[in-house]
Amino acid sequence: MIYLQLFIAFFKIGLFGFGGGYAMLSLIQGEVVTAHHWISTSQFTDIVAISQMTPGPIGINSATYVGYAAASNAGFSNGMAILGSAMATFAVVLPSFLLMIFVIKIFHKYHNHPVVNTMLSVLRPTVVGLIAAAALLLMTPENFSTPNESAWQFYISIFLFLVTFLGTQVMHINPIRMICYCGFAGLLLYY
Amino acid sequence: MNIYWEGFRTFFKIGCFTLGGGYAMIPLIEEEVVNRKKWLTKEDFLDLMAISQTLPGVFAVNFSIYIGYKLRRLRGSLILALGTILPSFLIILTIAMFFATFADNQIIAAIFKGIRPAIVALIAAPCINLARAAHIKLTNVWLPVFTALAIWIFGVSPIYIIILVAVGGFLYGKLVQPDNK
């Protein structure tokens, strides 16, 4: 039952997605690529790319896209696929509702409590690890090619990776502009 | 003007301009909600930041739920969250419906071949800034390294790691440093 699976997967993502968009990526990938095979690694990277270029949080964007793609790949009609999309989006925000309203009621009692602070101080470095894992998991032949398969594409990919990394970190180029440059490079070099 | 409609419109607008992820729109929300509409005080806003960063889930949605709840309880939070979600839902749904036909196009395929390595770099890059913000030192650097390797090499689900670390942090705070203020 694809709708129930979508609901459970995205409810889990919403419930355990600590640390914002990028930290959620490894979670989303774990569910939709590794566990359920709803989309491939390169499709997943494309969703991240689209999310970067369109407004909206990555958690919502991926839920909307994957919900549609999963139901559509399972052979459902367009209307039913839109329902899958809505189902996944609803599931990813539901934990926020439950937790937020619960926390509003008890927050002022436990804010700055030493145990809560200790938990946060270990969760924050962990979140950095989650983001690193998301990046490592995407360094696949599908996204970068390999020296044997296509040396041309492999070295260009490494180059574009380094240029983007340094361009956004050292030269502070706007990420969206950087994506446009790389898309243009791809058009010139591959087409 | 009706407060529901005004709240919905404000967060629909915020949802439309959330390019580049949650943290980018904090100044935008502050301007709208604190300075212009005066729904929250400056102190409330800082509290809200702390809560939203602590809780799991989508940052912008957590914000809208909190503010909606402050304004009009559950119904307020439902309407404001809907306003935040709707712009990205509609845009991505449209793309999802037509991307499959575009993806086979040679030109689009070439463009995305160039974009994919850039996206991986954009995900890797914030690790450096965040490592500073998370106070990573020699004593706790094993946490992110262990986390990344466990997920990458051994395929451990990130969910188990988050539960493990949260429980470990709780026990450590409760048993090892109970007097730490």
Side-chain angles (χ1 to χ4, degrees):
Chain A
M1 184 58 197
I2 188 92
Y3 293 103
L4 189 62
Q5 286 177 336
L6 277 171
F7 182 84
I8 293 171
F10 279 95
F11 189 85
K12 279 200 304 206
I13 292 166
L15 187 59
F16 293 102
F18 285 94
Y22 282 139
M24 276 174 114
L25 284 180
S26 59
L27 235 80
I28 298 170
Q29 196 185 28
E31 288 294 323
V32 307
V33 181
T34 314
H36 292 286
H37 305 288
W38 283 322
I39 52 171
S40 68
T41 305
S42 55
Q43 267 181 306
F44 181 73
T45 316
D46 293 346
I47 297 176
V48 181
I50 293 168
S51 297
Q52 288 283 335
M53 289 182 284
T54 56
I58 174 81
I60 304 289
N61 288 351
S62 59
T64 304
Y65 191 100
V66 171
Y68 184 89
S72 180
N73 291 345
F76 285 102
S77 70
N78 206 26
M80 294 301 277
I82 293 173
L83 189 65
S85 181
M87 172 68 94
T89 310
F90 172 68
V92 86
V93 298
L94 187 59
S96 288
F97 264 102
L98 303 177
L99 288 170
M100 204 70 192
I101 286 165
F102 175 69
V103 163
I104 288 169
K105 293 186 187 249
I106 63 154
F107 180 66
H108 293 284
K109 223 160 103 194
Y110 291 103
H111 186 36
N112 284 333
H113 190 280
V115 174
V116 175
N117 283 345
T118 310
M119 282 175 75
L120 288 179
S121 69
V122 292
L123 273 172
R124 280 188 208 116
T126 310
V127 163
V128 177
L130 289 180
I131 299 173
L136 290 169
L137 284 169
L138 291 178
M139 291 180 186
T140 59
E142 273 185 85
N143 284 337
F144 281 79
S145 190
T146 59
N148 295 330
E149 191 187 306
S150 163
W152 172 242
Q153 192 191 337
F154 180 74
Y155 292 117
I156 290 173
S157 296
I158 300 287
F159 175 74
L160 291 177
F161 175 87
L162 291 175
V163 165
T164 306
F165 194 93
L166 295 175
T168 52
Q169 283 297 296
V170 182
M171 295 166 65
H172 300 288
I173 299 173
N174 181 307
I176 296 157
R177 189 169 291 175
M178 203 67 230
I179 293 174
C180 294
Y181 293 153
C182 291
F184 189 63
L187 184 66
L188 289 180
L189 295 167
Y190 298 124
Y191 183 63
Chain B
M1 208 192 321
N2 183 331
I3 187 82
Y4 293 117
W5 172 238
E6 199 176 335
F8 179 85
R9 255 189 31 180
T10 304
F11 274 88
F12 190 87
K13 204 164 90 185
I14 290 168
C16 282
F17 289 101
T18 320
L19 268 169
Y23 294 98
M25 44 123 232
I26 291 171
L28 190 73
I29 297 186
E30 192 178 2
E31 175 62 28
E32 285 288 333
V33 172
V34 180
N35 299 342
R36 288 180 59 184
K37 310 278 185 203
K38 304 204 189 311
W39 287 332
L40 292 181
T41 64
K42 191 98 184 154
E43 286 70 37
D44 276 342
F45 192 78
L46 287 175
D47 271 0
L48 170 56
M49 293 267 300
I51 301 181
S52 298
Q53 280 172 324
T54 311
L55 288 184
V58 176
F59 201 61
V61 175
N62 286 350
F63 257 86
S64 62
I65 293 171
Y66 183 95
I67 294 166
Y69 197 85
K70 283 253 153 172
L71 289 177
R72 286 293 184 277
R73 300 273 150 164
L74 188 62
R75 201 187 297 175
S77 60
L78 282 170
I79 289 174
L80 266 59
L82 190 67
T84 317
I85 295 164
L86 217 51
S88 39
F89 181 77
L90 296 176
I91 293 169
I92 296 294
L93 188 62
T94 313
I95 293 174
M97 288 166 78
F98 299 105
F99 191 70
T101 42
F102 283 131
D104 296 330
N105 180 305
Q106 292 276 303
I107 297 175
I108 303 284
I111 291 173
F112 271 90
K113 263 192 203 171
I115 287 177
R116 283 178 200 146
I119 293 299
V120 181
L122 286 180
I123 296 170
C127 288
I128 297 170
N129 291 330
L130 284 173
R132 230 170 279 145
H135 302 293
I136 291 182
K137 300 180 290 274
L138 276 176
T139 47
N140 63 5
V141 71
W142 60 273
L143 258 173
V145 171
F146 165 81
T147 302
L149 292 181
I151 297 171
W152 184 41
I153 297 177
F154 300 106
V156 178
S157 164
I159 293 172
Y160 295 131
I161 295 178
I162 291 168
I163 295 175
L164 190 71
V165 170
V167 171
F170 176 78
L171 292 177
Y172 185 79
K174 198 94 184 155
L175 304 174
V176 182
Q177 20 171 239
D179 303 322
N180 185 5
K181 292 281 174 205

